């Protein structure tokens, strides 16, 4: 059979007998009630990056002189693509401490709060922890370098993974990026019109989808600048932002192919000139 849970009374009662030197005695009747426990320490607040796995080690103490097994309950369950999970139980030796591994992952920015309750099913005694994970935007997932001549397109393919069992539609935008130092975050500036993006990208369920981005500059990159940095961002409500850094450079185009016209005196000849 299963573990029989001990039923505790609503009130605890007892007596204290105190003998006095003159041969008399005092008898006290004691009645007490035990309220719910307080949280173990201060609330655990952690800042993590989106799309990065994080494991928080939570110290669990056993106050008894014998081993205890605690069943673990996490409430409320996170929503959407956020996961917060760990083992269903933990064994702690007598008068000892063990770490419980709580694993957190999310695709979107925001704060996830939960209560971790550990219960001794045999005695009904329990302890709990309040936790809050704040997910911040992730840095660029990868850097691509694109070099081409003006008016000539250079294409790259970025593979976006969709772990969900349903199709996700992503929008995309590209901005010129700058930062004050190597350790500072990239800051988006004006839209980079040299990048050709699709209006939307449809990610297949439980698969990777090839997303094409075309760099087609109309002006050469200034020699003193060397290259131009840009951030391309794919966004959706379900999966948050996927950010990639592009290092772009465009060189002047060479002379276009020559064209020959032939016409008799007084006549004319015409040709089509493609302009990109």
């Amino acid at each position: 059979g299963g573990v029989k849970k001990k039923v505790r009374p609503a009130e605890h009662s007892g007596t204290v007998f105190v003998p006095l030197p003159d041969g008399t005695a005092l008898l006290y009747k004691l009645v007490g009630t035990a309220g719910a426990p307080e949280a173990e320490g201060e609330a655990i607040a952690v800042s993590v990056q989106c799309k990065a796995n994080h494991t928080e080690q939570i110290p669990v103490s056993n106050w008894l002189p014998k081993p205890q097994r605690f069943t673990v309950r996490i409430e409320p369950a996170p929503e959407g693509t956020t996961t917060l999970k760990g083992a269903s139980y933990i064994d702690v030796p007598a008068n000892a401490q063990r770490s419980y591994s709580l694993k957190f992952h999310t695709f979107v920015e925001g704060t996830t709060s939960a209560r971790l309750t550990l219960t001794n099913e045999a005695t009904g005694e329990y302890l709990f922890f309040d936790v809050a994970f704040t997910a911040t935007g992730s840095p660029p997932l990868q850097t691509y370098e694109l070099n081409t001549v003006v008016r000539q397109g250079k294409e790259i393919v970025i593979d976006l993974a969709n772990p969900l069992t349903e199709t996700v539609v992503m929008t995309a935008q590209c901005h010129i990026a700058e930062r004050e130092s190597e350790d500072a975050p990239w800051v988006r500036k004006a839209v980079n019109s040299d990048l050709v993006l699709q209006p939307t990208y449809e990610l297949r369920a439980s698969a990777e989808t090839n997303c094409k981005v075309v760099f087609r500059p109309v002006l050469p990159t200034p020699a003193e600048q060397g290259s131009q940095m840009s951030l391309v961002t794919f966004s959706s409500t379900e999966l948050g932002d996927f950010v990639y850094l592009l290092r772009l450079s465009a060189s002047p185009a060479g002379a276009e192919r020559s064209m020959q016209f032939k016409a008799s005196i007084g006549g004319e000849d015409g040709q089509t000139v493609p302009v990109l």
Side-chain angles (χ1 to χ4, degrees):
V3 176
K4 186 176 181 180
K5 187 173 181 179
K6 184 177 180 179
V7 178
R8 292 182 174 272
E11 290 185 343
H12 301 269
S13 62
T15 58
V16 175
F17 180 80
V18 182
L20 299 178
D22 61 1
T24 61
L26 299 175
L27 180 65
Y28 295 93
K29 182 180 180 180
L30 306 178
V31 177
T33 58
E38 296 181 348
E40 295 291 305
E42 297 182 357
I44 300 171
V46 185
S47 179
V48 300
Q49 291 180 348
C50 291
K51 302 175 180 62
N53 293 315
H54 176 81
T55 300
E56 187 70 17
Q57 299 295 337
I58 298 179
V60 180
S61 298
N62 180 2
W63 60 89
L64 296 181
K66 60 181 180 180
Q68 288 196 84
R69 168 169 288 191
F70 297 98
T71 57
V72 183
R73 187 172 71 253
I74 302 172
E75 296 176 314
E79 299 178 350
T81 55
T82 299
T83 58
L84 186 61
K85 58 185 179 181
S88 60
Y89 68 89
I90 181 174
D91 292 316
V92 185
N95 297 316
Q97 186 180 89
R98 290 290 183 268
S99 292
Y100 179 81
S101 297
L102 184 61
K103 299 178 180 180
F104 174 78
H105 182 273
T106 186
F107 285 91
V108 297
E109 297 182 39
T111 299
T112 300
S113 299
R115 174 164 291 184
L116 182 73
T117 304
L118 301 99
T119 305
N120 183 326
E121 297 293 344
T123 65
E125 295 180 311
Y126 67 95
L127 64 158
F128 68 90
F129 299 84
D130 288 326
V131 297
F133 295 91
T134 300
T136 60
S138 63
L141 300 173
Q142 191 172 343
T143 300
Y144 293 90
E145 186 166 341
L146 295 175
N147 305 306
T148 188
V149 297
V150 294
R151 300 187 296 279
Q152 298 295 320
K154 184 66 174 291
E155 181 183 279
I156 60 169
V157 176
I158 299 177
D159 294 329
L160 297 184
N162 176 14
L164 305 182
T165 56
E166 57 187 21
T167 300
V168 173
V169 176
M170 309 284 288
T171 60
Q173 55 184 344
C174 184
H175 294 84
I176 297 171
E178 298 178 358
R179 61 180 177 179
E180 296 180 354
S181 64
E182 290 189 1
D183 297 329
W186 291 100
V187 178
R188 293 174 176 83
K189 299 295 184 179
V191 173
N192 190 341
S193 57
D194 288 340
L195 266 292
V196 182
L197 303 168
Q198 296 176 203
T200 59
Y201 294 84
E202 188 173 289
L203 305 190
R204 303 189 307 275
S206 304
E208 285 191 348
T209 301
N210 297 334
C211 300
K212 296 180 180 180
V213 177
V214 179
F215 175 45
R216 183 175 290 121
V218 295
L219 295 173
T221 306
E224 64 275 10
Q225 183 176 347
S227 61
Q228 181 187 76
M229 307 304 293
S230 293
L231 290 174
V232 59
T233 306
F234 300 90
S235 304
S236 75
T237 302
E238 300 88 347
L239 299 178
D241 294 341
F242 291 84
V243 183
Y244 295 88
L245 184 63
L246 306 181
R247 186 185 302 274
L248 310 172
S249 64
S251 55
E256 303 291 344
R257 64 182 181 86
S258 61
M259 303 182 68
Q260 295 183 353
F261 294 87
K262 295 181 179 180
S264 58
I265 297 175
E268 62 180 35
D269 182 22
Q271 296 189 39
T272 301
V273 180
V275 178
L276 298 179

